Amino acid sequence: MGHDKLQPLRSKGLKTKVLLKNESIRRFVPDTQKFTKENLRSMINRYEMVYVKPDRGTYGKGVIKAEMENSRYFAYQINQKRLTFNHFDAFYTSLARLIQKRSYLIQKGIHLLKHNNRRFDIRVMVQLSPDNQWEATGVIGRLGHPKKIVTNYHSGGKPMDVHTLLKSHVSASRREALIQEMKGLGLRIARHMKKSYPYLRQIGVDIGLDRSLTPWIIEVNVKPDPYIFNQLPDKKMYRKVIRYYRLGMKKQK
Ligand SMILES: Nc1ncnc2c1ncn2[C@@H]1O[C@H](COP(=O)(O)OP(=O)(O)O)[C@@H](O)[C@H]1O
Ligand SMILES: [Mg+2]
């Protein structure tokens, strides 16, 4: 079954490597490295804020936001717990204890746009149509729980209409262009990944927007949940997403 052929794509590290091979995609990929003491030191010095996350995570589980403040102290947050440290060594030791022997990545932190003081990111759904053309079938915003550092639905995030979320950040005319830009990026990612993984029939791209409105690729999901689109009052998007999703399930067998 096609399903098993996509198994390697559970690794965020591998997916990042694949994305970096494409010239028109790589500039939207935030710097991502393996979790090691030296990588943590250099990345936190360079970016001041980074995300530390499991190479094979889902649902926002185990995701940590780590930062250096005023080059003086270090802090990290996981779930609703935040710890601060006066020295890099103690900071690293605490993180390493949390992570243990698991494989983790460090990624440049994106300062996500906020709505009502809650972070949000964007999920772009890209699927093969009945006549096997890639289509960006859905775009939805995910508003994080106010006390959490992830936006995932399974971690208390709220799926929302993307226009509502972007309204206070982008004028109406630019909003449409930005949404088209994110859809275009999703389509390029799908076409590019399909070359190495011909069983791919759909992807869900998590896109983080910062204040400059750069669409940063946070991760590419190869088994995206179609049902979050059913959380919107307007069912138009959901109907198409679910139709293509069921078709994909059938063809995959
Ligand atoms: N580099 C980052 N910058 C800002 N937010 C991030 C970053 N990485 C992850 N996040 C937040 O954490 C969430 C979960 O991370 P993600 O990489 O998508 O892992 P998962 O597979 O658990 O969904 C993202 O949707 C986003 O809200
Ligand atoms: Mg995700």
Side-chain angles (χ1 to χ4, degrees), residues 116-174:
N116 293 339
N117 218 24
R118 296 158 66 169
R119 295 183 180 79
F120 69 86
D121 61 10
I122 313 283
R123 165 64 64 89
V124 177
M125 191 82 164
V126 182
Q127 298 172 286
L128 279 182
S129 70
D131 55 354
N132 280 318
Q133 302 298 313
W134 285 110
E135 245 181 74
T137 46
V139 180
I140 196 169
R142 305 182 309 167
L143 187 61
H145 181 283
K147 296 205 166 116
K148 292 194 178 171
I149 49 110
V150 299
T151 54
N152 304 66
Y153 181 52
H154 289 93
S155 291
K158 185 173 156 41
M160 281 188 62
D161 172 57
V162 68
H163 286 275
T164 309
L165 295 176
L166 291 175
K167 203 163 263 173
S168 63
H169 302 283
V170 200
S171 67
S173 58
R174 268 191 86 195

Side-chain angles (χ1 to χ4, degrees), residues 28-196:
F28 302 105
V29 179
D31 187 4
T32 307
Q33 308 290 339
K34 283 204 169 85
F35 178 83
T36 65
K37 187 171 184 178
E38 285 324 306
N39 284 344
L40 181 67
R41 196 197 303 276
S42 66
M43 287 181 76
I44 207 142
N45 274 303
R46 185 170 313 152
Y47 304 118
E48 293 186 336
M49 194 270 281
V50 298
Y51 269 68
V52 177
K53 51 192 182 182
D55 183 45
R56 287 158 187 264
T58 48
Y59 304 150
K61 277 192 276 185
V63 174
I64 302 161
K65 178 173 183 259
E67 56 209 318
M68 181 176 73
E69 294 193 10
N70 310 321
S71 306
R72 278 189 28 250
Y73 70 91
F74 301 87
Y76 72 76
Q77 182 177 341
I78 179 165
N79 300 319
Q80 307 205 18
K81 189 169 92 175
R82 185 181 156 91
L83 295 174
T84 59
F85 303 85
N86 291 317
H87 299 285
F88 178 82
D89 280 349
F91 166 69
Y92 167 75
T93 303
S94 177
L95 274 172
R97 190 173 298 143
L98 201 66
I99 289 167
Q100 300 184 334
K101 294 258 171 277
R102 291 181 289 250
S103 174
Y104 262 65
L105 302 172
I106 311 172
Q107 188 172 65
K108 172 188 169 177
I110 309 306
H111 293 274
L112 298 181
L113 295 180
K114 290 186 172 181
H115 177 80
N116 293 339
N117 218 24
R118 296 158 66 169
R119 295 183 180 79
F120 69 86
D121 61 10
I122 313 283
R123 165 64 64 89
V124 177
M125 191 82 164
V126 182
Q127 298 172 286
L128 279 182
S129 70
D131 55 354
N132 280 318
Q133 302 298 313
W134 285 110
E135 245 181 74
T137 46
V139 180
I140 196 169
R142 305 182 309 167
L143 187 61
H145 181 283
K147 296 205 166 116
K148 292 194 178 171
I149 49 110
V150 299
T151 54
N152 304 66
Y153 181 52
H154 289 93
S155 291
K158 185 173 156 41
M160 281 188 62
D161 172 57
V162 68
H163 286 275
T164 309
L165 295 176
L166 291 175
K167 203 163 263 173
S168 63
H169 302 283
V170 200
S171 67
S173 58
R174 268 191 86 195
R175 221 180 294 149
E176 205 41 61
L178 179 60
I179 292 167
Q180 288 310 319
E181 186 187 355
M182 292 189 285
K183 285 182 170 179
L185 180 58
L187 287 166
R188 294 204 298 281
I189 295 170
R191 291 191 185 109
H192 171 65
M193 288 180 71
K194 179 97 170 160
K195 288 185 239 157
S196 310

